[in-house]
Amino acid sequence: MGAAIAMVVLFTAASLGLLPGTATATSTPTPTPTTSTGSAASPPPATAGAPAKSPGRVLLIGVPGLRWGDIRRTGTPNLWKLTGRAAVGTLSVKTVSGHACPIDGWLTLSAGQRSQLRHGSCGLPPAPAGTSVPGFAGMREDNARSKYGSKPGLLGDAVHGAGACTTAIGPGAAVGAADRAGRVDAYFPSADKTPADAWARCALTVADVDDVVRAYVDAGVDVNGHPVRVTPKVRAAAASAADAQVGRILKAAPAGTTVLLAGLSDNAGTERLHVAMAAGPGYGPRYLTANSTRTVGLVTLTDLTSTILRTLGVAQPKDAVGSPWRSDGRKSASVARVVRAMADRDTHARIYSRFVFPFYMVLIAAQLALYAFATVALRRRNDRRLAATKVLALAAGALPVASFLANAVPWWRSGQPALTLALLILAGVVVVTAAALAGPWRRSVTGPGVVVAGVTALVLSLDVMTGNHLQNCSMLGYTPVVAGRFYGFGNTTYALWVTGLIIAAGALAGLAAARWGDRRLVPLAVVVAAGVVALVIDGGPMWGADFGGIISVIPGFTVFAFMLTGRRVRPTRVIAVLAAGAVLVLGISFLDSLRANPTHIGEFWNELTSGDAGKVVFRKFLGMVGTFGNWKLSVIIVLGVGFLFFALLRPLAWRAAALHLAYERAPALRATLTAALVTTVVGMLVNDSGVAIPAMAFTVAVPLALAASVRALELAGREAPPRPERSEEPSASTG
């Protein structure tokens, strides 16, 4: 195991392409005091050690609620023209809660970290009094106590610390550009009331164009407190009004200004993806991306703060978590095609959000139906029922991977997306199940299940290594709207992948042992090789980037190796391997931290060395505990555990447990299932997804264990005369 760990460290370092460097992180500078005269103040003097003049100038136009579907050639000509010369992308505006209110978006911009207005309505930001934002101190205090511990005012402080000033146009802009005292250097209520010389006065100018979201605020709520529906005609008129304001602002902007435009919040209703554009020095007709997403055409709201700071030549404070926007190098298509492509990504995410809950209901129903049918089939010896149970079990195990394969086809563009998605998933289930039953492996106890597990592991491995196209907005994947993860393995995907990998590795180890007659060395080599694959694919920052997965793989595969080779799982042995694993995990984290833009694996090392790791661990622990309230996942776990124990290990009508028969014919199966259980339970404890990890693992492991058990029963029935069924005692005749 030591050689394997060393190999993983060396491979990871080479894959990262690392050259030793330093990750810069500076504390938030103390803001320079400003003076207020009416609604505008003079730029503050340069502070000692800071550049007297910023190398860049930024104009941020915030249009809360603006989506790509709002942009049209005739209705929004200024936005249409800007799209043709800007780098573009979709913007994830996730803040703290599910719905990002306008003031939440502005506070997140201000803090460079997810923030929200905890007390108050989801309306428009308050208008400043002079150059000060009312109640800003309370907003800072509330967010400092939130789970993210954000610090509104960070952006304004950083700009002031560099000797530059801020101009805000509109209430939301004042919230976004304010320093920790809640002040901006100049404030004007709207673009048409801003003097011509004000646009060039400060290095950072922020404008709030709230026409789109104001349409929803003005519509109000009905008697039940639900938002009144805004018609497409009203929304189009609001987008046209916003476009007119954007046109005036762009016309007033000084030459050489970097223009950033962001639809930095949701409207009323469902959460959506919004508009992101960047034009000016360094940006052209390309697609936007950032290290936070690693996805072409997708950036996040927290990235906006980093982009402003980088453009101004200001060091990013450590409390700002985003990565700067950048062009990905590929020239974008025509404006019409760009708008359609960006709107299509939003459509995919929106339709996914409609179907994900029904899909989980189908998944639970499929598991419940399988277990109910199998329980009845196992009570009596009926070859047809057993054969049907095996097919259904393999189909249930294939359902998760089929849900990912469905994303290879743009089902959300269909006129009937629900039907199209259902047919694609069904086709995937049929193909994978047929493959499991088609070859010579069908005669083996574990062969058909290994095909299903292997396909699951292979498909998800290839997906994570080629850009995560199948995981994005698949029914068991992740979505940029929720913004829990943008690349690598999501926790539920990891659970399916590692379970498939373990089952496939166990079968290969068993076959190798039978082929070469070696019950220790050869199986151990197979498990170690599988463990190295797991660590590289799941833990490699260039692929899986799954910090919790690395932690759970090590104890799981340790138990796997001990059980498969017949060694006792002694505490001293486990502790020794876990200690080596801890060194490995920290080594990967350290190597990743050396990069200019580390993943969250490398960020953990930075948090560990800065003393902030405890807060992160505690936040994830609270998230893990909170998942126990998710009844859908809890139902899957209860069903899986109950079926394993009562139907397979304690059958009602068989003297020999079905699963024990499978263990006898496939000795590696016990170690395989135990390793999967240990890996996913540890994964549950170290990830904020909690019970989702074993729940997803059970959707593959339990059906495949059932298929192996049924096959063992079939083989046992052919070798021994059938056991007569119990007959009812004849009732006494009464006459």
Side-chain angles (χ1 to χ4, degrees):
M1 290 294 286
I5 290 172
M7 181 169 27
V8 172
V9 173
L10 291 174
F11 183 86
T12 303
S15 300
L16 289 172
L18 286 173
L19 289 176
T22 56
T24 59
T26 59
S27 58
T28 305
T30 303
T32 303
T34 61
T35 59
S36 176
T37 305
S39 61
S42 300
T47 56
K53 188 176 182 181
S54 297
R57 185 188 304 278
V58 174
L59 168 61
L60 168 62
I61 307 173
V63 192
L66 183 68
R67 299 196 295 259
W68 281 103
D70 297 320
I71 298 179
R72 306 177 310 282
R73 186 191 302 271
T74 54
T76 57
N78 296 299
L79 290 168
W80 186 271
K81 186 181 297 184
L82 181 62
T83 302
R85 64 184 179 89
V88 301
T90 51
L91 179 68
S92 172
V93 299
K94 171 71 175 180
T95 54
V96 178
S97 59
H99 184 80
C101 297
I103 194 169
D104 299 344
W106 288 113
L107 284 170
T108 298
L109 169 71
S110 175
Q113 172 63 284
R114 295 181 182 182
S115 307
Q116 69 174 158
L117 180 68
R118 296 181 63 189
H119 307 289
S121 62
C122 189
L124 299 174
T131 57
S132 297
V133 177
F136 197 79
M139 299 177 197
R140 275 183 57 88
E141 184 178 352
D142 282 346
N143 281 285
R145 296 175 178 175
S146 70
K147 67 177 182 177
Y148 292 104
S150 64
K151 298 177 180 178
L154 177 145
L155 175 60
D157 282 348
V159 174
H160 285 162
C165 67
T166 56
T167 297
I169 301 167
V175 174
D179 60 15
R180 71 176 63 189
R183 294 191 303 245
V184 292
D185 299 298
Y187 174 75
F188 304 96
S190 62
D192 55 1
K193 296 180 180 179
T194 303
D197 64 341
W199 296 98
R201 184 176 301 174
C202 291
L204 175 60
T205 301
V206 182
D208 178 9
V209 179
D210 61 5
D211 298 83
V212 175
V213 75
R214 186 178 289 277
Y216 289 81
V217 174
D218 292 344
V221 296
D222 58 23
V223 294
N224 298 316
H226 301 138
V228 174
R229 181 177 178 271
V230 173
T231 64
K233 183 177 180 180
V234 171
R235 183 176 178 94
S240 295
D243 179 79
Q245 282 210 64
V246 169
R248 287 194 291 270
I249 293 170
L250 292 175
K251 187 175 181 180
T257 299
T258 297
V259 177
L260 307 175
L261 187 143
L264 44 69
S265 80
D266 290 312
N267 305 309
T270 58
E271 297 75 40
R272 302 285 289 272
L273 296 175
H274 297 273
V275 173
M277 298 190 206
Y283 296 104
R286 302 279 192 270
Y287 290 105
L288 286 173
T289 187
N291 288 332
S292 60
T293 67
R294 297 188 187 177
T295 304
V296 174
L298 177 64
V299 290
T300 73
L301 182 56
T302 52
D303 295 334
L304 188 55
T305 309
S306 302
T307 306
I308 293 171
L309 294 174
R310 184 195 64 175
T311 306
L312 295 178
V314 178
Q316 179 171 321
K318 66 181 181 66
D319 293 312
V321 300
S323 302
W325 294 356
R326 67 177 192 274
S327 298
D328 81 321
R330 286 187 285 176
K331 188 174 182 179
S332 58
S334 66
V335 175
R337 292 183 63 183
V338 167
V339 171
R340 282 198 302 270
M342 297 296 99
D344 181 69
R345 178 167 283 171
D346 176 44
T347 300
H348 188 187
R350 174 176 57 85
I351 295 179
Y352 155 86
S353 66
R354 285 171 43 197
F355 294 159
V356 66
F357 179 79
F359 178 81
Y360 270 92
M361 295 300 97
V362 171
L363 183 64
I364 292 173
Q367 297 278 312
L368 180 61
L370 170 65
Y371 301 153
F373 183 86
T375 300
V376 173
L378 291 171
R379 282 178 172 235
R380 295 185 176 184
R381 183 155 184 172
N382 185 301
D383 291 342
R384 289 184 178 179
R385 287 179 183 173
L386 289 178
T389 300
K390 182 173 64 177
V391 173
L392 291 175
L394 294 171
L399 179 58
V401 71
S403 71
F404 290 100
L405 290 171
N407 247 20
V409 178
W411 53 268
W412 56 93
R413 299 176 191 166
S414 167
Q416 295 182 305
L419 178 61
T420 304
L421 177 62
L423 291 175
L424 287 171
I425 293 176
L426 179 60
V429 169
V430 170
V431 170
V432 175
T433 304
L437 294 170
W441 48 79
R442 69 183 184 277
R443 302 185 185 92
S444 165
V445 169
T446 58
V450 168
V451 171
V452 175
V455 169
T456 300
L458 179 62
V459 167
L460 296 179
S461 295
L462 293 176
D463 183 53
V464 81
M465 296 169 72
T466 56
N468 306 92
H469 303 292
L470 299 182
Q471 287 187 72
N472 183 37
C473 289
S474 70
M475 294 299 105
L476 294 176
Y478 41 65
T479 167
V481 172
V482 174
R485 177 179 278 266
F486 296 98
Y487 60 86
F489 275 132
N491 288 334
T492 54
T493 310
Y494 161 75
L496 296 168
W497 172 80
V498 77
T499 302
L501 180 64
I502 289 173
I503 292 174
L508 288 175
L511 288 174
R515 174 69 176 81
W516 285 286
D518 188 330
R519 296 185 177 272
R520 293 204 175 194
L521 185 59
V522 172
L524 179 62
V526 172
V527 172
V528 169
V532 170
V533 169
L535 289 170
V536 170
I537 294 180
D538 181 57
M542 64 290 184
W543 291 328
D546 184 14
F547 190 65
I550 308 175
I551 299 173
S552 62
V553 159
I554 294 169
F557 275 80
T558 299
V559 171
F560 197 8
F562 285 156
M563 291 186 65
L564 205 59
T565 56
R567 296 177 180 271
R568 295 183 60 185
V569 186
R570 295 176 180 173
T572 54
R573 292 175 176 173
V574 174
I575 292 172
V577 174
L578 292 181
V583 172
L584 169 65
V585 171
L586 292 176
I588 294 175
S589 182
F590 169 71
L591 291 174
D592 190 42
S593 73
L594 297 178
R595 302 194 305 166
N597 292 283
T599 67
H600 67 287
I601 296 176
E603 289 294 347
F604 181 79
W605 178 269
N606 295 331
E607 291 158 354
L608 189 66
T609 55
S610 66
D612 295 331
K615 293 187 296 185
V616 176
V617 172
F618 184 67
R619 186 175 74 230
K620 289 184 174 293
F621 172 76
L622 291 180
M624 182 271 294
V625 172
T627 63
F628 284 90
N630 188 322
W631 67 268
K632 302 185 296 296
L633 301 174
S634 299
V635 165
I636 293 175
I637 291 178
V638 170
L639 288 175
V641 172
F643 180 75
L644 279 173
F645 184 79
F646 292 106
L648 294 183
L649 292 177
R650 303 290 184 190
L652 300 178
W654 292 82
R655 295 191 179 277
L659 191 55
H660 287 165
L661 287 176
Y663 288 161
E664 291 175 359
R665 293 179 176 272
L669 183 59
R670 185 191 299 272
T672 299
L673 295 180
T674 303
L677 180 63
V678 170
T679 303
T680 54
V681 168
V682 174
M684 176 189 73
L685 296 175
V686 299
N687 281 290
D688 51 9
S689 293
V691 296
I693 295 175
M696 288 300 100
F698 279 13
T699 63
V700 173
V702 177
L704 298 188
L706 171 60
S709 301
V710 170
R711 180 57 181 163
L713 289 173
E714 290 177 336
L715 293 175
R718 293 173 185 174
E719 295 172 359
R723 190 165 168 243
E725 298 181 4
R726 275 172 42 181
S727 59
E728 300 265 335
E729 289 292 330
S731 59
S733 175
T734 58

